[in-house]
Amino acid sequence: MLRLILLTLLFCLLSGMVQATEQDDKGALEAGVPRQLARWRAAHYRDVRYALSIALEPGADRLKGTEEIRVTLDASVDELVLDWRVVNPQAQTASVRGIVVNGRAINDARFTNEHIVIPKTYLVTGVNVVELTFESPISTSGSAVTRYVDHTDNREYLYTLFVPSDASTAFPCFDQPDLKARFKLTITNVSPFWKVVSNTSADWDAIADDVSFKKSSRAISFHETQPLSTYQFAFAAGEFAEFKDEASPYKTHLYVRQSQAARARKELAEVFRLNREGLNFYGRYFDHKFPFPKYDLVLIPEFAYGGMEHAGATFLREDGVLFPSDPTANDVAARAELMLHEAAHQWFGDLVTMRWFDDLWLKEGFATFMAYKAMEQVLPQMNAWKIFYQRTKPAAYTTDVTKGTTPIFQEIPNLSAAKSAYGNIVYRKAPSMLRQAEFYLGADNFQRAIQLFVKEHAFGNAEWADLVHAFERTSGQKLDTWADAWVRRRGMADVRVDWRTDGEGHIQSFTLMQRDVLNEGGLWPMRLKILLAYADAPPETLIVKLAAAHTAEVDEAHGRRTPAWVFINYEDYGYGQFLLDPVSRARVMQQLGGVHDDFLRMLLWGALWDAVRVTELAPADYIELALKLLPAERDETITQSVLARVQTAFNRYLSAAQQRALAPRLEELLATQMLKAETAGLRITYFRAFQSIATTEAARAKLKALLAGTLKVPGMTLRTRDRFDLVTALISRSDRDAPALLAKLSAQEQSDDARRYAYAAGAAQASADVKQKYFDAYFKQRDLPESWIEASAGPFNAPQQSELTLPYLAPALRALPELKRTRKIFFVNNWLAAFVGGQCSPQAVSVVHDFLQQTPLDRDLRLKVLETSDGLERCVRIRAKFARE
């Protein structure tokens, strides 16, 4: 008997230890989705299916629905943990009730720290069925389901946006990327005038009489999806205009609000061509056919991002596809990148999904890189990699030289911090690294590895290590050191060259030197293409591999004829800071106008700008070079890039005295080219730059003449956005006529876009009362759309008004934790760029430093502040060295 009692006690003790171990494996149920919980669920939950029935009632402030969740549990599961996050508990617009598990109604489910916990007593080993009723918020801002009312015609549109983990604010779910599930969606109470778009096509569409609306309404059921992560599930509804691509094998329809249907028709042929040919290219490149039953494009006004790659139904920001102004070559390239990026996600992101958001770059970086691979095919008239450099590299470098930078792989302990992973490192550095990887490994090895990766992980999840192993298999190289350097190390290399010649005109030594810009001891294995330029002969090129060493002697250069100058990142395969040596910089500044290779000319302009940023070249000298060379420049993308830098140099880096001295000549160049440049694209590019530079009364008079129509840019139609841009420029310069011009234009233009432009323009007024009114509205006006805040934050912080806006810098920084919690991805980045980026003074530097020293911040927010403040500190350093009063 005693033995039996002891055995029983021992069994109970061991059972308790096993249960405790399982509980420890799951971790504490913190708010958000902790990594430990996600790993535990991925190990013990499988075969998840959601059946959602949702009522879409016009004008409703709540999403009402029922849900059935099916999930297979193994024998070790001690409780079922669902994610359910109420964003604003005080609003009381979210609830879950009527929970039934495996046919048993329960009233002891625990609602704790943004989770619903169902006790083990209701669960079985194998398939479990959870049924419940839910309500969640619909609002114009700050919710996962957004309502947009077009004030042009009062039509209503609803759409979802669940990335990175906001699905659980709309309905209970397992809100992690590596628990892919099949979704079955039914929409009820739909207005007969509405169209509904989701990941799959409609299964059935029945008209029923619904007395609650006192009119006919519909119920629409959609086919069950293939396995998707929760953030890839979506629907949009409203009285959309619908267009079908009759030539597409992908069953593509484009949906746009009715008021923009005429604009869409003008762009439709090219939009459909880009989409269709891009998808064709990806199918060939990945050696995997398009993975979903159809591919729709839904244009969303004031969308929070450029696009969102929901499987089978990409949502795109409307003004990213339908040009709000006459387009330049840069605008055409930007649209192509946007559409091709989202299309690439159907394979890299949706078909194969990163296991966790620390590998976010695995989808975002690849989508951008692949967008340019596709652009080579669908826009052959453009030099895709020149545009890649222009749109990708500078932004990556701007972040990667700062103390706020991160590795490409970013540790995300909880998905509540995943929003902070979005930024230049993921979107700009990662594709730049992939371009270097393709050059390093060889294009064929690289492509075969991608094909292996897609084949082996289709409809599943993968990690960076899986891709590295594929690279190793196809290249035959061991890549641990290479991969760790590029993906797990933050920062970048500063690569310079020291070359010497003998007395007979030949290269005697040629040494590459690599240093970590952050002085953290990092080294990056790299393959480079080096250019030796000659004034009287064709250039020579060398291909060099930099191993893990601080210096490397390039023996292949020894004995070659002395070049006029050297550039060590020819064709832009490398990633890092590649400054010209002093001899080369001086000669490039003399000979740049004679460089006929557009791509090389773009790279050299970039290297000179990098010299400005590190205080090796005066910003005024850069502007003088632009004044000299731009009149002969015929390439639109180069012109736009140089002019953007000239605007920064003029508005931020020069003293007031230097601005006054340079303004007349700079304004004359811009105004002349705006009217007389060779192509319409160049004239539009100069028109946009002129607005930013126009400081003198004579220049502002030209802006007003453009607005009045007495002065016209040949070949350009002045549209609504252009008019408000002109007024905003005048207001920010405190022109006496600007307030009346804004009032008149606002009365004339009543579209939704015009209302947003007018709101943004008003923020540029140099009035303490106006600034306070706007700043208060950003936090107190709950129905103010995020797009309006983001549009107005820049004009609010006009550089000319930095003394007036300095008092708002500290409260803007103190608001960061709330903004991170309540706002969408990119909002914090844009907020900091406006409020910190609008300053350039030692006083502002002190405000930021004091804030960081005195305020406890989440690590991701601290890094964001450090990243943005680098530009402020750099501005102060440049002014201190070069500004002259």
Side-chain angles (χ1 to χ4, degrees), residues 401-591:
V401 297
T402 76
K403 295 175 184 177
T405 193
T406 67
I408 290 176
F409 177 93
Q410 300 181 44
E411 293 284 353
I412 305 291
N414 190 307
L415 289 190
S416 62
K419 292 179 185 178
S420 295
Y422 288 76
N424 286 334
I425 296 303
V426 162
Y427 283 89
R428 301 304 176 194
K429 179 176 181 177
S432 303
M433 179 275 285
L434 290 168
R435 176 159 166 79
Q436 163 60 201
E438 183 184 43
F439 190 58
Y440 190 88
L441 301 171
D444 289 343
N445 292 335
F446 184 90
Q447 182 178 359
R448 287 190 293 113
I450 300 304
Q451 292 173 349
L452 269 176
F453 182 78
V454 170
K455 179 180 179 180
E456 293 175 353
H457 300 282
F459 294 108
N461 299 85
E463 298 175 345
W464 162 236
D466 299 314
L467 187 57
V468 173
H469 293 154
F471 284 152
E472 289 180 331
R473 287 155 64 189
T474 60
S475 70
Q477 300 182 51
K478 190 68 176 168
L479 296 171
D480 308 49
T481 302
W482 175 85
D484 283 347
W486 282 106
V487 179
R488 293 185 175 273
R489 178 180 295 146
R490 73 175 195 157
M492 67 183 193
D494 177 298
V495 184
R496 305 203 184 203
V497 62
D498 179 52
W499 54 283
R500 302 173 188 275
T501 59
D502 58 25
E504 298 179 357
H506 296 91
I507 296 175
Q508 187 177 49
S509 67
F510 197 97
T511 307
L512 294 179
M513 298 164 290
Q514 180 182 169
R515 150 186 103 76
D516 184 344
V517 294
L518 299 176
N519 294 316
E520 294 176 347
L523 289 170
W524 289 265
M526 204 182 312
R527 190 168 183 241
L528 299 174
K529 196 170 187 179
I530 297 173
L531 180 82
L532 307 179
Y534 298 93
D536 57 353
E540 297 180 8
T541 58
L542 306 171
I543 295 178
V544 177
K545 258 192 177 182
L546 286 182
H550 289 288
T551 62
E553 187 65 26
V554 182
D555 295 333
E556 300 95 315
H558 295 175
R560 292 178 184 261
R561 196 159 64 93
T562 299
W565 48 269
V566 170
F567 184 59
I568 55 175
N569 191 27
Y570 183 52
E571 295 183 348
D572 194 40
Y573 294 108
Y575 176 85
Q577 188 166 268
F578 301 94
L579 291 166
L580 293 161
D581 65 88
V583 170
S584 294
R585 184 170 69 239
R587 290 178 180 168
V588 163
M589 292 185 72
Q590 293 171 351
Q591 301 172 15

Side-chain angles (χ1 to χ4, degrees), residues 337-381:
E337 181 190 334
L338 169 62
M339 293 185 59
L340 296 170
H341 173 106
E342 303 304 338
H345 271 315
Q346 300 297 305
W347 286 265
F348 250 88
D350 295 353
L351 175 65
V352 181
T353 308
M354 75 270 162
R355 193 172 305 285
W356 191 246
F357 273 83
D358 46 20
D359 267 328
L360 174 64
W361 76 274
L362 199 56
K363 74 182 187 77
E364 297 299 347
F366 255 100
T368 296
F369 175 74
M370 290 306 304
Y372 284 90
K373 298 285 287 184
M375 198 184 296
E376 282 187 293
Q377 306 297 315
V378 303
L379 290 174
Q381 71 275 23

Side-chain angles (χ1 to χ4, degrees), residues 685-704:
T685 299
Y686 279 105
F687 161 78
R688 294 175 183 173
F690 182 60
Q691 297 172 63
S692 175
I693 298 295
T695 56
T696 66
E697 189 170 349
R700 286 185 278 113
K702 284 187 172 69
L703 295 184
K704 286 181 271 192

